[in-house]
Amino acid sequence: MDITIIKDIIARTDRYNFHSHSEFCDGRAPIASIAASAFKEGFEVWGVSPHSPVCIDSPCNMLRVDIPHYFDTMGRLKEEYDGRMQLMTGLEIDFLGKDYGPHIDYFLEMPLDHRIGSVHFVPNQDGIPLDCDGSAERFVRYLHDGYRDDLRYVVEKYFEQVLTMLELGGFEILGHFDKIAGNASAVDPSIEEQGWYAALVSDVIRLTRDMGVVVEINTKAFKRQSRFYPAERWWPGLLATGIPIAVNSDCHHPDLTASGRSEALTAIARTLR
């Protein structure tokens, strides 16, 4: 997709969402149910974005064999909502390294309306990718068993992945770029206050500006954790650059299509004042 279309949507209305999940990955309902809820909530544009197929075992990601069914399902739903709500066929594409991410031909050749580039997997010191999303309890176990209890290594490697993904491109929207902070702060609550961490976030903001992509403010965790990704503390620097911002719910359930949205929009307006 031409990124200007996404920017035009953001400029035209705040009743959009580009990031949602369904039964094609780790979502909790069929796409039709998610779309029906979005329409009821008054959305004008609704983007569907299953977790992309990956080249490693992952129960959260869709399978390659399901891609044709996904496109067929979206085609039918687009016809159903034609003239009432614009549906967009997307993927949240996992970046695993220079050999697998939004930049490879497999994803670039798909007839997608939009692509979200995200990092969930962080390679450990032996090069084995581990999913650092999910529960804090699992992260603590991975930290001990997989990362030799080196929290700073995990965080720095996470942001290294984000920066490399930005350099390689292939996507229009950068997904929850500081998501690692959720689990990392469960281990060290002060981590986001440390200078080296702030420097990593600044590097991401600077490169995002240079690459011209849209940054997502992800509201999924607001209801449960009262926080956004990226965290509000980074918004003044982010918004000062003029980087386009997309507020996305990252919903996995029909009841959460608009979860945290009004709070995020209010917080953005407050930051801009």
Side-chain angles (χ1 to χ4, degrees), residues 59 66 128 136 234:
D66 290 333
I128 300 170
W234 314 120

Side-chain angles (χ1 to χ4, degrees), residues 6-209:
I6 293 177
K7 293 178 179 178
D8 288 346
I9 291 171
I10 295 169
R12 170 170 54 84
T13 179
D14 63 8
R15 305 308 300 165
Y16 66 83
N17 186 84
F18 301 110
H19 191 163
S20 65
H21 298 280
S22 69
E23 85 278 19
F24 278 95
C25 54
D26 61 346
R28 299 294 184 263
I31 292 176
S33 298
I34 302 285
S37 178
F39 181 72
K40 186 177 180 180
E41 285 281 356
F43 282 94
E44 298 173 19
V45 180
W46 186 263
V48 181
S49 55
H51 291 290
S52 69
V54 289
C55 55
I56 58 177
D57 290 335
S58 171
C60 296
N61 291 71
M62 75 184 302
L63 302 174
R64 284 198 180 209
V65 296
D66 290 333
I67 289 288
H69 181 34
Y70 169 56
F71 279 109
D72 289 344
T73 300
M74 288 302 296
R76 290 194 299 272
L77 285 171
K78 283 183 175 183
E79 290 182 4
E80 180 181 338
Y81 283 94
D82 185 37
R84 299 188 295 154
M85 180 174 70
Q86 179 183 352
L87 283 174
M88 296 177 61
T89 304
L91 279 180
E92 182 180 15
I93 304 174
D94 272 295
F95 181 81
L96 300 179
K98 292 184 178 180
D99 294 329
Y100 202 93
H103 61 287
I104 68 173
D105 289 344
Y106 174 66
F107 295 117
L108 293 176
E109 292 171 359
M110 285 185 185
L112 294 165
D113 294 325
H114 68 295
R115 297 167 177 82
I116 301 170
S118 295
V119 172
H120 299 94
F121 298 89
V122 179
N124 66 13
Q125 292 91 333
D126 299 316
I128 300 170
L130 299 175
D131 186 354
C132 288
D133 203 1
S135 71
E137 293 76 16
R138 187 183 72 172
F139 178 78
V140 170
R141 186 171 69 252
Y142 281 179
L143 182 63
H144 179 70
D145 297 339
Y147 295 107
R148 306 171 191 170
D149 289 315
D150 191 341
L151 181 63
R152 180 158 177 171
Y153 167 86
V154 179
V155 173
E156 289 182 335
K157 182 61 70 171
Y158 172 90
F159 280 106
E160 178 185 312
Q161 295 284 87
V162 173
L163 291 166
T164 303
M165 180 177 70
L166 280 165
E167 290 171 347
L168 293 173
F171 59 96
E172 296 85 23
I173 301 172
L174 175 62
H176 47 57
F177 75 70
D178 67 344
K179 189 69 183 295
I180 191 65
N183 281 333
S185 62
V187 178
D188 180 0
S190 72
I191 195 163
E192 293 175 276
E193 300 168 6
Q194 297 176 28
W196 64 269
Y197 182 95
L200 291 170
V201 172
S202 295
D203 287 343
V204 172
I205 293 174
R206 184 165 52 251
L207 185 56
T208 301
R209 178 201 61 203

